[in-house]
Structure formats: structure tokens, C-alpha cells
Amino acid sequence: MKTPLPLLLFPLLGLCALYSGVLVLARLTGHDTHAVDLLYMGVLLLCAAVAWQAYAQARGTGRRLLGWGTLGLSALAAAEVAWVLLFDLPGREAPDLSVADAGYLIYYAGLLGLLLLGQRRGRNPGALLDSLTVGLVVAQASWVLALVPLLQDQGSTLIFRVLNLSYLALDIVLLTLVLFTLRQPLAAPRWPLLLGLLAYVVADLLYFNLGTLYQPRGPLDLLWAWGAVGQALGILLLARTREPEDPGPAHARLELVLRALPYVAVLASCTLLVLYGPQDTLAGRGVVLLTAAVFGMVTLRQALSHAESLRLNRQLQAQAEALRQSQAQMEHLAFHDGLTGLLNRAGFYRALRAALPGGATVLLLDLDGFKPVNDDHGHAAGDEVLRVVAGRLAACSGEDWRAARLGGDEFALLGPADQSPGAAQALAERVVAAVAEPVTVPGGAQVRVTGSVGLARMDGAGASEDTLVRQADAAMYRAKRAGGHRSAELVKVPG
């Protein structure tokens, strides 16, 4: 169940839209007014209020995560109030370190807590390396555009340099974390928060790298304002979402864009190397070192991709082998008898059709006196007799013959046609003798069954498998009518 939307959300959206309109109008007319600063301060205060309302409604383990975001937005709003009231409105020059900086630093701490605690389980080292690559290239550009001028500025104090270096480093770390988080499967409620964070951090980075080119009350101010609104809206949506949602197709499209970013970053790194690398200056030396770090990261990424490809290949090979074994097992089950392990009727006829072009000999065996075994000793005893008979039949036949159970107590042997009638008849006699041996069944009792055997042979193609089996079946019944426990003479079927 979802909680109602906070009443402050709509005033927040309206105030931010008003702020945007006033800022654009002031920019177009060139009329500088403190109303813009006051409206921006109001936007941030409403962002903090919406976050606090969402935090108050949140329940469960996600409440701590929202607490970090709420802390961050509250600190940002407090810092902006201090900045406007202490410096903007009075027209006073800000010192190198002020109370507003404390609020900004707490804001960064809140963002770090929000991103780090919000990471989902599961590793994605490839996405992490891609994000680090982009972060390194941003650091490379910032080194040239912002850090070197800052370090070479003789008029700046140590506190000013350290503070600005800290802001820049935190922005790069946050950018890397946001890009890494965006590479993970994300449900729709997480998008406004991350995109708001991304807009705010990008605006910060542009502000530092533009240096003296930055113009107040411009597009960057809009990014800061709407980025804060996105963060407040994201905290609100996370508080209202009780169950995790699956990422939609929009995330797949975003994933494609994010996958392309490292390539763009590497191209930018190469451009900076060409422009500044040959120079024996602080900027040039830093660009060379950072380019080496970028390509080291790219090398790790390629090695990881290669290892992942090998792992996937091994996995595919294992799956293919498992599929082959599964198919072989299914084929075995389809053409073999589950009780005895011999060929079943379908397997026997398949083997017979394959052998017929060169001729074949078929021996059919039907047990005599098998029904009393089931009646007197139970079906378990009957199954044991069938298994023992199957083993004896296979032992008598040798390598040239294939044994089968056609169903019930009926068995068969399939062999070549090039054996002499005497050899085939001798095999039939061995089968009759082997079947007649006593069988010990479950419970310890010994039972005895006999067998009637019929033989038929066809030396070449011409007759169908059904004709050959019918002739062997007819011979087997002649043996059975003669009293059983015997073999009928071999029948030669014309080919």
C-alpha cells in the first residue's frame, strides 16, 4: 500500500518552475535581482521539507537509506540559506571558509551514504571499471582546467585550495558512484534520485572547470535547482515503494548510453594527451600520468572482458554437454526397457530396420509358467525373474547379438544373418537351458520358469521386418504348442 503524496510536493514543483522562469527572464533582460537567490533558497528549503515528510512516512530497512538523503538535502538547504543571508543579500565577500561550507560538505557526506548504502547485492566489476574510467578522464580534464590554475594561483590561500580540491574530488567520486549505480538494474522509483544527483554533480563539475567563464544565474543554476528537486522526488518515491520493481525497457536504453561513455571518455583522454602531453609543464605531466591510469583501467577492463568471455564459453560448453547427455538419456529411455535395461519394442524394431538391408536373424523367447510366479509370489518376484532372464539372455548372446524385451514376458535377440543355421540353433538351445535355471526371488524362495524359442533368418533385403518377426513368432508358438522348454527349427525367410 502506498502512502499519499506529501502536500509540499506540488508547491515545490511550482516554485522551481517559477524560479526557472524568473532566472531566464533576468538573464534575458540583464536585470540582476536578489529575487532569484531568494527563490532558489526557497526551492532548497522545500526540497528538504519534502524529504523530511517522506522520511517520516518511511518504514523498514530503507528508512536509514532515506535518512542519509534527507540529511544531505537538509544540509544543502541550510548552507544555501547561510550563503544568501550572510553574503548575497548584504553584498559581503565570502571568506575562504565559512559556515556554508560545512553545510555543503555534510551534503556530500549524505550523498555518499545514500549511494554506498543503496548499492544492490551482486557484483558488476565491469560496470565499476567503466565508471572509474569516466571518473579518471573527468579528473584529467579537471586537472588541466581547474586544478593547475588553482595550484598556480599565488593569490589563493592554502585553505581555499584545499577546500576547492576537496569539492572537486568529492564531485568526481560522486559522479563515479552515480554512473556505477545507473549501470545496475533499476526500478522506476530510483531514477529521479539518481538523475537528480547526476544533474547536480555535473553542474558542480562544470562550475569548477569553467572557472572565470562561469556566469551566475545561468544554465548551471537551473541544473542545481532541478537536480535538488529530482533528489527530493526520488527520496519521496523510494519512501512510497514497498516492494522492489523490475527495471523497464527505458533502463535498457539508458544502459546502451552508459556503455558508450567509457569509449567517449578514452577518446577525450587521448585528445588531452595530444594537446598537453608534449608540454613539459605541470599540466602536461599530470595529463600523461592520468592518461596512463586511464589506459591501465582500460587494460583491466579488457582483461576482465576476456575472462568473462572464457567463463561464458566454459558455461556454454558445459550446458551443451549437459544438453547432449540429456538428449542421450532421453533417447536411451525412449528405446530401452526401464525394468531390464534391454532394448524395448521401439528400440528393437529400430535396430532391425537398420540391419535388414544386410539381412538379420531374429530369436523370440516367450516364458512358460511365468504367470504363476506373479500369482504365488507377487509382482516383485515376477520383476526379479524378468531381470534375471534378461541378464542370462544377454550373457548367452555375445557381442554380435542385441537383446530386447518386447513386453510382458516376451524377449528377443537380433543378430546377423551370416551365421550358420547350426550356430543359430545352438544359441537357441543355450537360451532355453539358461532360462530354465532356478531364480531366487525376494523372500528367499526359488522359482523356475522355462522358455519357448523361435528362430527366423533373412539373408538380404526384400521382406519387411514385420514378416521376419511373424515367422519367428510362428516358430516360437510351434515350440510352445509342442510343450515348451524347447526351440523350434530355424525358419529361413526369402530375401
Side-chain angles (χ1 to χ4, degrees), residues 215-295:
Q215 295 293 323
R217 300 185 177 90
L220 293 188
D221 296 76
L222 291 177
L223 277 179
W224 277 316
W226 285 105
V229 171
Q231 295 168 48
L233 179 59
I235 291 173
L236 171 62
L237 292 177
L238 287 176
R240 299 180 70 242
T241 304
R242 295 291 181 260
E243 298 295 334
E245 300 179 20
D246 294 328
H251 181 263
R253 293 191 290 270
L254 177 63
E255 173 76 6
L256 292 177
V257 175
L258 294 174
R259 283 181 179 273
L261 274 182
Y263 298 97
V264 177
V266 171
L267 181 61
S269 179
C270 293
T271 303
L272 290 171
L273 180 64
V274 170
L275 293 176
Y276 295 94
Q279 304 175 12
D280 187 18
T281 61
L282 184 60
R285 290 191 293 271
V287 164
V288 170
L289 291 175
L290 287 170
T291 302
V294 168
F295 278 89

Side-chain angles (χ1 to χ4, degrees), residues 105-420:
L105 291 173
I106 294 174
Y107 169 66
Y108 280 111
L111 293 186
L112 286 172
L114 179 65
L115 290 173
L116 292 174
L117 291 177
Q119 296 298 318
R120 294 191 172 184
R121 293 183 179 179
R123 297 179 297 173
N124 190 355
L128 179 58
L129 290 175
D130 288 344
S131 304
L132 288 172
T133 300
V134 175
L136 278 174
V137 175
V138 172
Q140 189 178 25
S142 301
W143 172 260
V144 172
L145 299 174
L147 292 179
V148 170
L150 176 64
L151 295 175
Q152 293 178 341
D153 183 10
Q154 300 298 324
S156 60
T157 65
L158 179 61
I159 293 178
F160 181 80
R161 293 178 185 180
V162 171
L163 187 61
N164 280 272
L165 178 61
S166 301
Y167 283 138
L168 191 56
L170 287 168
D171 279 324
I172 293 174
V173 171
L174 287 174
L175 176 66
T176 303
L177 283 174
V178 169
L179 292 177
F180 175 60
T181 307
L182 285 171
R183 287 289 299 273
Q184 302 174 26
L186 296 175
R190 296 170 66 91
W191 279 51
L193 173 63
L194 291 170
L195 294 179
L197 287 172
L198 184 62
Y200 199 95
V201 170
V202 168
D204 255 11
L205 288 168
L206 289 173
Y207 166 74
F208 283 112
N209 286 295
L210 286 174
T212 57
L213 297 178
Y214 166 71
Q215 295 293 323
R217 300 185 177 90
L220 293 188
D221 296 76
L222 291 177
L223 277 179
W224 277 316
W226 285 105
V229 171
Q231 295 168 48
L233 179 59
I235 291 173
L236 171 62
L237 292 177
L238 287 176
R240 299 180 70 242
T241 304
R242 295 291 181 260
E243 298 295 334
E245 300 179 20
D246 294 328
H251 181 263
R253 293 191 290 270
L254 177 63
E255 173 76 6
L256 292 177
V257 175
L258 294 174
R259 283 181 179 273
L261 274 182
Y263 298 97
V264 177
V266 171
L267 181 61
S269 179
C270 293
T271 303
L272 290 171
L273 180 64
V274 170
L275 293 176
Y276 295 94
Q279 304 175 12
D280 187 18
T281 61
L282 184 60
R285 290 191 293 271
V287 164
V288 170
L289 291 175
L290 287 170
T291 302
V294 168
F295 278 89
M297 199 68 63
V298 171
T299 302
L300 285 176
R301 182 66 170 95
Q302 293 302 315
L304 180 65
S305 298
H306 180 65
E308 182 68 13
S309 297
L310 292 178
R311 187 188 67 81
L312 289 176
N313 286 335
R314 288 194 297 268
Q315 185 177 353
L316 289 174
Q317 290 173 358
Q319 290 176 348
E321 177 63 20
L323 179 61
R324 187 192 65 77
Q325 293 179 358
S326 176
Q327 289 174 337
Q329 184 180 14
M330 291 176 64
E331 183 177 0
H332 180 84
L333 293 174
F335 294 105
H336 288 76
D337 177 55
L339 177 64
T340 63
L342 304 181
L343 291 175
N344 59 16
R345 180 177 291 273
F348 171 79
Y349 274 96
R350 186 178 70 160
L352 179 57
R353 285 191 293 271
L356 270 184
T361 300
V362 171
L363 180 152
L364 291 185
L365 165 68
D366 190 80
L367 299 183
D368 308 318
F370 177 71
K371 185 175 183 299
V373 174
N374 278 331
D375 294 342
D376 297 341
H377 300 280
H379 288 286
D383 289 344
E384 179 63 18
V385 169
L386 293 176
R387 281 192 289 266
V388 170
V389 169
R392 293 173 180 176
L393 186 63
C396 290
S397 58
E399 296 181 356
D400 294 335
W401 294 77
R402 301 188 66 181
R405 181 191 175 205
L406 303 183
D409 59 350
E410 186 178 3
F411 295 84
L413 286 176
L414 174 63
D418 57 359
Q419 294 189 355
S420 65

